[in-house]
Amino acid sequence: MPELPEVEVVRRGLNDHVVGSVLHRVEVLHPRAARRHEPGSLDLEARLAGTEVRAVDRRGKYLWLVVAPPGGDLARAEAIVVHLGMSGQMLVQPTTAPAEKHLRIRVDLGDDRELRFVDQRTFGGWAVADLVDSGGSLVPAPVAHIARDPLDPLFDVERVVATMRGKHTEIKRALLDQTVVSGVGNIYADESLWRSKIHGARLTDSLTRPALRRVLHHAHAVMGEALAQGGTSFDALYVNVNGQSGYFDRSLAAYGQEGLPCPRCGAPIRREKFMNRSSFSCPRCQPRPRVRRA
């Protein structure tokens, strides 16, 4: 699944290429691409046709386009919530470019360009939603419960640390809880914990405030570095609006590095099962917490 840096790469590309564009015609080419929009594909097409893209925003891994009548009052603005799923791509293409094999939604931008939603595995899609206030920011209603992410200028480290200290859960589970801190997925959780020298099974209420601050600091740093390199791409499906892949995977220290030497101490990186996925850590730098016996 794309994580915060990959989604931010897409957001920036859309911000550069589609803000100010009018959606002249919207075509939903596969019903699953509009399944999250309860009124259906035809309603989505009708509500978006003729609107203008005013902004492209993000919170954590959630992406949306703010649309409103051209030149009209932003009080009438709505959001196109874009679910990238496992393989969703938002591409800006010339109208003459051949249709992609897995093209799901096509939007005519009126200047010989199209905005295309391509989704091979059809887990993603679009939905139109109202904008509501969430902590002083306007976000789509389905995103209102999502916490701010470490790259958000209004991210409150101390508040997140206090929330984590008040929970009795593993630190990696807390990092992946989008209601606590958003945007962090499996890749950047493992990288942040490796940099912090903390095993993901450590309990949040057993960690000191400085230790939790350190984890959040490293989450901010590693995602910022990944963003600078276009994100992490493990297959050709994670691309920006021009179809280019990121290359931060070359810089990963722990995630996906099973058996390779830890860049810090040289011990082989281990892989452990975690929530139907995998966790990667250094057995020397990040020792597992001891199990307390009753």
Side-chain angles (χ1 to χ4, degrees), residues 56 144 290:
V56 185
R290 294 179 180 179

Side-chain angles (χ1 to χ4, degrees), residues 33-251:
R35 69 187 181 282
R36 292 182 176 85
H37 184 71
E38 291 186 5
S41 300
L42 294 178
D43 181 81
L44 185 144
E45 293 173 345
R47 286 173 68 175
L48 296 182
T51 61
E52 179 185 1
V53 180
R54 300 296 190 87
V56 185
D57 290 327
R58 176 193 58 75
R59 177 170 286 186
K61 297 181 279 188
Y62 293 81
L63 174 73
W64 64 91
L65 287 71
V66 177
V67 296
D73 190 349
L74 276 175
R76 296 175 59 191
E78 295 181 300
I80 306 173
V81 182
V82 179
H83 299 266
L84 294 174
M86 295 182 67
S87 59
Q89 300 173 353
M90 294 284 283
L91 304 177
V92 178
Q93 299 278 46
T95 55
T96 54
E100 292 78 6
K101 181 179 179 180
H102 303 290
L103 179 60
R104 308 305 186 194
I105 300 176
R106 185 205 309 263
V107 181
D108 178 9
L109 299 177
D111 54 1
D112 297 322
R113 297 181 308 141
E114 293 179 343
L115 174 62
R116 299 178 178 181
F117 179 67
V118 179
D119 187 11
Q120 177 179 326
R121 297 168 185 162
T122 64
F123 290 125
W126 290 14
V128 180
D130 293 332
L131 290 163
V132 299
D133 182 86
S134 175
S137 299
L138 286 178
V139 302
V143 181
H145 67 291
I146 300 298
R148 295 188 184 275
D149 62 71
L151 299 188
D152 189 319
L154 298 180
F155 182 72
D156 188 338
V157 173
E158 296 306 316
R159 182 175 181 178
V160 176
V161 166
T163 299
M164 287 182 167
R165 286 276 296 166
K167 291 179 174 290
H168 182 72
T169 188
E170 296 177 350
I171 179 60
K172 183 169 180 179
R173 290 179 183 269
L175 284 173
L176 297 180
D177 185 342
Q178 303 299 296
T179 65
V180 175
V181 53
S182 69
V184 184
N186 210 31
I187 297 172
Y188 300 113
D190 281 357
E191 292 299 299
S192 304
L193 292 167
W194 178 84
R195 293 187 180 201
S196 305
K197 299 183 179 180
I198 294 173
H199 192 279
R202 292 282 302 276
L203 296 175
T204 53
D205 55 359
S206 73
L207 292 168
T208 65
R209 284 179 171 79
L212 291 170
R213 289 190 201 103
R214 190 165 69 249
V215 172
L216 294 171
H217 165 76
H218 285 305
H220 178 279
V222 71
M223 290 195 293
E225 292 167 22
L227 178 57
Q229 296 184 37
T232 300
S233 297
F234 286 107
D235 63 40
L237 298 177
Y238 295 157
V239 297
N240 63 18
V241 294
N242 297 315
Q244 299 169 326
S245 298
Y247 51 92
F248 188 71
D249 54 297
R250 304 172 192 173
S251 304

